[in-house]
Amino acid sequence: MSAASVAVVVVTFNRADLLSRMLDGLAAQTRRPDEVVVVDNASTDHTRAVLEAREDLPLRVVHMSENLGGAGGFHRGTELAHAAGHDRIWLMDDDVVPAPDCLAVLMAQDGPCLMAVREDLDGVLVEKAAVRFDLDNPLAIRPKTASVDSTYAARAQMPPLVPVENVAFEGFMVAREVVDAIGLPDPSFFIFYDDVDYAIRARRAGFGIVAVRDAVLVRQLDFNQQHDLAGWKGYFMYRNLFVVHLRYGNNLAVRLKPFAVAAAVVLLSPLRGGRAEARNVIRAIRDAWGMRGVPGRPAPRG
């Protein structure tokens, strides 16, 4: 795959300093990307100045007129990279920095879907991609029942390639043939689970996904997956988790699980002290039902 072209798609919003460090990491790659598509989700900080100052990368910058969330940004960036004819597309958030050989390691590996493996600033393995994402058991409260970092204590304990069942759009590389077959990331998710949805679509179309042990990606921020379920992010957490179950549950009980979860949240809301969370989950189940159809139209061939 050394002759294949690769575009990096970066989505950013109001994190100019993190973005600058991530772009430094791309500029230091031993295998330079052929194009870097940066989707700026209507940032109001100094993101524009950071991007205008870069002269060391083949940048293509898209300044959105409104914030379409990570899902909308990855949809647009993937669309542009695909239309430009690239063989591979490497999806990247603005808060990770690739090791200098990360892209070279991925490009040397064959396969339709590859995942770089994340660690924190101390070198601790923090790869959350699911080794098992259970859409069979209706009693599984969280479908991610095992992740890379819960399965392996350290990177050194991993085999070179680890099959995974979902990904994060932080170092996920997808081949052109996958986009041809399943289309683009679904922008309607806004935030959360757009990457999970895309991974499930890829796997159900017959494309395996592997995490590549030696492709090192350093996460600049601590993981914080404990969101306020009564706040605006809580709505998207519930809605998009429900969508995944409604779309891909492998049996009727799993597809009905969102309704049971919503009912339980509403019933327990007096004890949990959250009418706002109850309102969120009611709105989420209603809206998730309207999103239950799986996106099916492939992206146009560039």
Side-chain angles (χ1 to χ4, degrees):
M1 293 300 295
S2 60
S5 65
V6 57
V8 184
V9 172
V10 181
V11 178
T12 189
F13 174 66
N14 278 352
R15 298 203 291 194
D17 294 334
L18 288 173
L19 174 65
S20 181
R21 273 180 264 166
M22 195 277 301
L23 294 175
D24 287 343
L26 290 180
Q29 292 299 295
T30 57
R31 197 292 190 194
R32 288 176 59 82
D34 297 284
E35 185 175 28
V36 178
V37 180
V38 179
V39 180
D40 171 21
N41 255 330
S43 295
T44 56
D45 63 356
H46 54 292
T47 292
R48 186 180 292 266
V50 165
L51 292 168
E52 289 175 348
R54 303 295 309 204
E55 297 181 351
D56 53 353
L57 286 166
L59 286 183
R60 179 177 184 180
V61 179
V62 181
H63 295 289
M64 308 300 285
S65 60
E66 61 179 311
N67 182 4
L68 300 180
F74 284 117
H75 174 94
R76 181 60 175 147
T78 303
E79 180 180 48
L80 291 171
H82 181 271
H86 294 290
D87 300 301
R88 293 187 176 191
I89 301 170
W90 195 22
L91 303 178
M92 191 78 67
D93 212 343
D94 57 11
D95 62 355
V96 290
V97 175
D101 66 346
C102 186
L103 183 53
V105 169
L106 290 173
M107 294 299 288
Q109 178 64 47
D110 198 9
C113 300
L114 308 173
M115 184 71 200
V117 175
R118 292 168 289 176
E119 62 184 40
D120 65 16
L121 292 169
D122 296 321
V124 176
L125 183 67
V126 292
E127 182 49 61
K128 306 296 182 185
V131 173
R132 174 66 176 137
F133 196 79
D134 188 350
L135 291 170
D136 296 304
N137 181 5
L139 301 180
I141 301 300
R142 294 182 177 87
K144 185 194 293 187
T145 57
S147 62
V148 172
D149 64 352
S150 72
T151 304
Y152 304 98
R155 187 183 298 270
Q157 296 183 13
M158 295 174 59
L161 301 176
V162 176
V164 294
E165 297 188 354
N166 76 8
V167 300
F169 284 164
E170 289 186 356
F172 177 59
M173 179 176 284
V174 61
R176 181 177 186 81
E177 63 182 302
V178 178
V179 185
D180 288 341
I182 70 171
L184 301 167
D186 185 350
S188 66
F189 278 88
F190 190 72
I191 58 170
F192 305 133
Y193 290 98
D194 52 320
D195 38 22
V196 173
D197 176 85
Y198 203 70
I200 295 173
R201 286 160 56 194
R203 290 178 56 245
R204 294 198 172 190
F207 300 105
I209 308 172
V210 294
V212 181
R213 178 194 63 198
D214 297 332
V216 178
L217 202 60
V218 181
R219 205 168 197 277
Q220 303 300 293
L221 301 175
D222 291 335
F223 271 102
N224 179 14
Q225 297 182 315
Q226 302 300 315
H227 297 290
D228 177 12
L229 295 177
W232 70 272
K233 286 186 177 181
Y235 161 75
F236 288 106
M237 289 283 287
Y238 276 126
R239 188 198 68 173
N240 296 348
L241 178 63
F242 292 167
V243 170
V244 167
H245 283 80
L246 290 169
R247 286 182 178 179
Y248 307 113
N250 288 325
N251 54 65
L252 180 61
V254 171
R255 293 193 294 275
L256 291 177
K257 187 168 73 170
F259 296 94
V261 172
V265 171
V266 171
L267 288 173
L268 293 174
S269 61
L271 300 177
R272 293 163 61 96
R275 289 186 178 180
E277 184 182 357
R279 288 193 295 268
N280 265 351
V281 81
I282 292 170
R283 180 182 165 210
I285 193 67
R286 180 195 66 204
D287 294 349
W289 182 252
M291 292 172 61
R292 68 191 184 279
V294 179
R297 189 175 69 176
R301 293 178 181 269

